[in-house]
């Protein structure tokens, strides 16, 4: 196959950190080429360079053998490069046809006016070409997520894209819609359209891709012929080594403990599948999976933040009649959300106001002086336990480091003395020292009898800190692992869902 794209010695630096280093990469006409790697490996940076969002600091890009510069996204489109991001770019308030030709509207050759009739005729031609049963006059807001993702591809093809970059395109799609997408991709391959396919699902890669390039720490590690490799080889390339976790935390036998949390056939509207699991008193349970696996959706749902549910939740054997976070708190549940800045904190408020906000009844009925005195005492007591620094109750939370902001979120819930804590990515975006401190506090809470469920994509941390790990994939629990007997590669392979060839 002829070479359509080649990258030579591409480098990119952000704030002194090398996001990409000496990247060499080629793309052949009509192939579907997977880009693989853990979060932060450099895949997204490469895509943004190819689409003109970022400029490479070094190296060259060759398109059909000619050296080119892609100055911006408009230049990329003119050169036949289209991209379908995980975050959709469609406008919900206009029709399918209007979205397909947005910014590229057909005009009458005689009068030079916007030709709406021709736009819908051409939209129908594109949709029929791929057997897509969508009315071009339908509002995009009425489409399902899978239909919207397919519409993104049609939109790119209407701009005469010859190279398509697809970033996690199956997110939010049903199995039937995924089948339709892959049929479209196969049809495009026959028409010599070339595709870069970014996915965390290895079963998709083995199903649809011709070659796969693995990135690790901003470097191009190797390229595989998909038909001649297997899951183990790809996972090894992604992580660089295959070793059992060297646990620093002793393994505990909790079989004699009572069940603190039981979730059975539980599902809400934001969850892909019903889920069942149980957690012992004082246990630290890890729930992991790749992006889109459903960890955050599960956490929000259990905490009553996702509307009506089916199935049951029990705390120490008592079934909960729970419909909101306020009720969840009454039953002894606490939730530390993934995004502390938008869901966990009021950034302009003080440390003290943030900590007391979920426990305001503790100071109700007091006069103004006693309220402030008690609020300060509560803040100082819990702040010292969690080692919040600087511990100045009146300081705005905005002025704290990420690690100390996270400690404030945890403090806010610990003041209420919960029995079960749900923690969604509790160490994301904080430094190594703060991570170690937070996990030390989780272990201390466990010794005191508190139960913790950690939803996280930090494999090393889960393997070291948790008593058990459940793996989610597409909203379903696909495995239960003993961290003391599991390597990162085994955990990653189960998360990715790859199949041996």
């Amino acid at each position: 196959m002829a070479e359509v794209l080649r990258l030579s010695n591409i480098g990119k630096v952000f704030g002194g950190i090398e996001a990409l280093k000496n990247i060499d990469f080629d793309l052949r006409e009509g192939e579907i080429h997977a880009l693989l790697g853990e979060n932060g490996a450099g895949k997204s940076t490469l895509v943004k360079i190819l689409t003109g969002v970022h400029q490479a600091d070094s190296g060259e890009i060759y398109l059909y053998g000619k050296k080119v510069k892609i100055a911006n996204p408009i230049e990329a489109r003119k050169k036949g490069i289209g991209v379908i991001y995980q975050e959709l770019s469609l406008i919900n308030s206009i029709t399918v046809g209007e979205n397909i030709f947005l910014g590229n509207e057909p005009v009458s050759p005689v009068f030079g006016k916007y030709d709406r009739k021709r736009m819908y005729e051409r939209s129908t031609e594109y949709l029929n070409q791929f057997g897509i049963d969508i009315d071009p006059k339908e509002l995009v807001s009425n489409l399902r997520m899978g239909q919207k993702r397919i519409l993104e591809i049609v939109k790119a093809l209407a701009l005469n894209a010859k190279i398509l970059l697809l970033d996690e395109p199956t997110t939010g799609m049903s199995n039937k819609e995924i089948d339709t997408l892959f049929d479209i991709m196969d049809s495009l391959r026959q028409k010599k359209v070339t595709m870069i396919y970014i996915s965390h699902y290895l079963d998709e890669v083995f199903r649809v891709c011709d070659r796969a390039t693995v990135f690790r720490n901003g470097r191009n590690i190797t390229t595989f012929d998909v038909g001649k490799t297997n899951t183990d080889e790809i996972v090894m390339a992604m992580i660089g080594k295959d070793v059992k976790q060297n646990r620093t935390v002793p393994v505990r036998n909790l079989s004699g403990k009572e069940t603190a949390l039981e979730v059975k056939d539980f599902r809400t509207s934001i969850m892909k599948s019903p889920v069942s699991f149980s957690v012992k008193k004082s246990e630290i349970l890890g729930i992991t999976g790749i992006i889109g696996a459903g960890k955050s959706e599960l956490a929000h749902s259990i905490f009553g933040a996702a509307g009506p549910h089916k199935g049951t939740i029990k705390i120490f054997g008592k079934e909960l009649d729970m419909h909101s976070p306020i009720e969840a708190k009454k039953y002894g549940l606490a939730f530390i959300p993934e995004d502390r800045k938008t869901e966990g904190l009021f950034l302009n408020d003080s440390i003290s106001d943030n900590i007391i906000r979920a426990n305001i009844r503790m100071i109700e009925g007091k006069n103004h002086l006693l309220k402030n005195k008690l609020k300060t005492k509560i803040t100082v007591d819990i702040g010292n336990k969690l080692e919040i620094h600087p511990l100045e109750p009146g300081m705005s939370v905005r002025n704290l480091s990420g690690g100390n902001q996270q400690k404030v979120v945890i403090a806010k819930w610990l003041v209420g003395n919960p029995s079960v804590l749900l923690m969604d990515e509790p160490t994301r975006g904080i430094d190594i020292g703060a991570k170690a401190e937070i996990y030390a506090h989780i272990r201390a809470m466990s010794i005191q009898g508190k139960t913790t469920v950690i939803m996280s994509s930090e494999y090393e941390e889960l393997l070291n800190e948790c008593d058990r790990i459940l793996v989610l994939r597409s909203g379903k629990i696909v495995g239960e692992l003993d961290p003391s007997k599991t390597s990162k590669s085994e955990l990653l392979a189960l998360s990715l869902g790859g199949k041996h060839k």
Side-chain angles (χ1 to χ4, degrees):
M1 291 186 285
E3 182 180 88
V4 298
L5 175 74
R6 180 160 58 89
L7 307 181
S8 178
N9 202 34
I10 294 292
K12 183 64 181 176
V13 177
F14 293 105
I17 298 173
E18 286 185 311
L20 295 175
K21 183 176 181 179
N22 301 330
I23 296 295
D24 293 316
F25 176 81
D26 69 276
L27 202 58
R28 300 169 186 171
E29 186 178 50
E31 78 167 332
I32 303 176
H33 195 129
L35 279 188
L36 305 174
E38 295 188 87
N39 294 335
K43 307 184 300 295
S44 295
T45 301
L46 184 71
V47 167
K48 289 177 180 178
I49 287 174
L50 286 175
T51 54
V53 176
H54 294 324
Q55 299 299 304
D57 296 323
S58 61
E60 293 82 34
I61 301 175
Y62 296 88
L63 200 56
Y64 299 102
K66 182 181 178 181
K67 184 176 176 180
V68 297
K69 181 176 177 63
I70 305 174
N72 52 57
I74 294 175
E75 281 292 314
R77 288 196 294 270
K78 288 180 179 179
K79 289 177 167 59
I81 300 173
V83 60
I84 291 84
Y85 288 113
Q86 193 170 351
E87 298 296 328
L88 298 175
S89 64
L90 302 173
I91 298 176
N92 285 320
S93 59
I94 62 177
T95 67
V96 168
E98 288 168 331
N99 267 279
I100 291 174
F101 287 98
L102 186 65
N104 188 37
E105 293 83 357
V107 295
S108 168
V110 178
F111 301 106
K113 292 184 178 180
Y114 175 32
D115 192 338
R116 180 176 289 272
K117 180 181 178 182
R118 179 60 180 149
M119 178 193 70
Y120 283 122
E121 288 175 349
R122 290 182 62 188
S123 298
T124 301
E125 291 170 6
Y126 274 113
L127 294 167
N128 289 342
Q129 182 179 354
F130 298 107
I132 302 169
D133 186 20
I134 301 176
D135 184 349
K137 296 182 180 179
E138 183 72 69
L139 286 177
V140 167
S141 59
N142 295 330
L143 301 184
R144 300 187 305 274
M145 177 60 73
Q147 292 176 309
K148 290 180 180 180
R149 292 200 177 278
I150 291 171
L151 179 57
E152 287 274 22
I153 295 177
V154 175
K155 180 180 175 182
L157 296 175
L159 293 170
N160 200 33
K162 297 300 181 185
I163 299 175
L164 276 180
L165 285 64
L166 297 98
D167 187 3
E168 299 288 352
T170 60
T171 301
M173 281 184 157
S174 66
N175 289 334
K176 184 177 180 181
E177 289 167 338
I178 292 173
D179 289 339
T180 299
L181 171 66
F182 288 167
D183 287 343
I184 291 171
M185 290 172 65
D186 189 57
S187 174
L188 293 174
R189 175 161 44 196
Q190 305 306 318
K191 294 178 173 65
K192 304 299 183 184
V193 174
T194 305
M195 287 160 275
I196 293 177
Y197 190 81
I198 299 176
S199 178
H200 282 92
Y201 293 100
L202 287 187
D203 51 349
E204 295 179 1
V205 172
F206 282 115
R207 180 176 170 185
V208 76
C209 295
D210 302 295
R211 290 192 296 159
T213 293
V214 174
F215 277 33
R216 187 173 74 241
N217 297 328
R219 289 165 174 79
N220 179 342
I221 301 303
T222 189
T223 296
F224 294 100
D225 181 331
V226 171
K228 296 178 181 179
T229 190
N230 57 49
T231 301
D232 290 345
E233 289 183 338
I234 290 177
V235 169
M236 280 286 292
M238 289 173 66
I239 67 174
K241 56 184 177 180
D242 184 21
V243 294
K244 290 291 188 292
Q245 179 73 10
N246 183 22
R247 283 179 66 100
T248 59
V249 178
V251 177
R252 303 184 298 171
N253 182 0
L254 300 170
S255 58
K257 296 280 188 178
E258 61 183 316
T259 299
L261 172 67
E262 182 181 2
V263 178
K264 187 172 182 180
D265 298 326
F266 180 78
R267 186 177 188 179
T268 68
S269 60
I270 68 170
M271 295 170 61
K272 297 177 183 177
S273 302
V275 168
S276 299
F277 67 92
S278 62
V279 198
K280 297 288 188 180
K281 182 179 179 180
S282 80
E283 183 175 11
I284 302 173
L285 175 70
I287 298 182
T288 192
I290 57 174
I291 294 172
K295 303 186 300 298
S296 292
E297 291 84 349
L298 177 60
H300 280 83
S301 296
I302 293 174
F303 194 59
H309 68 266
K310 296 180 180 178
T312 60
I313 299 177
K314 294 181 180 180
I315 299 286
F316 292 103
K318 181 180 180 180
E319 185 172 336
L320 309 189
D321 181 19
M322 184 180 68
H323 306 284
S324 72
I326 293 174
E327 293 174 331
K329 181 177 178 295
K330 291 179 181 178
Y331 285 115
L333 280 169
F335 177 41
I336 287 79
E338 176 181 8
D339 192 337
R340 58 181 170 270
K341 291 187 176 181
T342 60
E343 295 184 87
L345 295 169
F346 292 86
L347 291 175
N348 292 324
D349 288 357
S350 69
I351 295 173
S352 187
D353 284 343
N354 271 278
I355 287 176
I356 207 65
R357 193 173 294 275
N359 307 279
I360 196 69
R361 290 186 178 180
M362 295 178 70
I363 60 173
E364 281 183 346
K366 308 287 191 298
N367 62 43
H368 182 73
L369 183 62
L370 287 176
K371 278 184 181 181
N372 285 337
K373 188 175 181 180
L374 182 56
K375 185 167 68 171
T376 299
K377 183 180 186 304
I378 291 170
T379 300
V380 171
D381 287 348
I382 192 69
N384 282 328
K385 286 181 182 178
L386 290 177
E387 301 175 273
I388 296 172
H389 181 77
L391 184 52
E392 298 179 15
M395 174 186 283
S396 171
V397 168
R398 184 181 296 278
N399 295 326
L400 295 177
S401 67
N404 283 289
Q405 287 179 350
Q406 188 72 345
K407 290 178 185 179
V408 172
V409 180
I410 296 171
K412 175 177 73 174
W413 289 105
L414 289 185
V415 165
N417 194 31
S419 55
V420 178
L421 287 88
L422 307 171
M423 307 183 82
D424 189 8
E425 300 288 355
T427 62
R428 174 164 291 175
I430 62 178
D431 62 55
I432 294 174
K435 286 183 180 183
E437 290 175 356
I438 286 174
Y439 274 112
H441 293 304
I442 292 172
R443 291 195 296 273
M445 290 188 294
S446 173
I447 292 171
Q448 295 165 7
K450 296 190 185 301
T451 300
T452 307
V453 181
I454 301 172
M455 282 77 171
S456 176
S457 55
E458 299 285 346
Y459 295 135
E460 291 91 342
E461 293 176 13
L462 295 179
L463 288 168
N464 188 62
E465 304 291 343
C466 295
D467 299 301
R468 280 187 301 142
I469 299 175
L470 301 179
V471 179
L472 277 181
R473 189 167 70 240
S474 297
K476 298 179 181 179
I477 295 175
V478 295
E480 178 180 320
L481 300 172
D482 179 344
S484 67
K485 300 176 181 178
T486 303
S487 69
K488 181 180 175 181
S489 65
E490 292 167 333
L491 183 54
L492 181 59
L494 186 56
S495 300
L496 292 172
K499 296 178 181 179
H500 291 272
K501 295 291 283 184

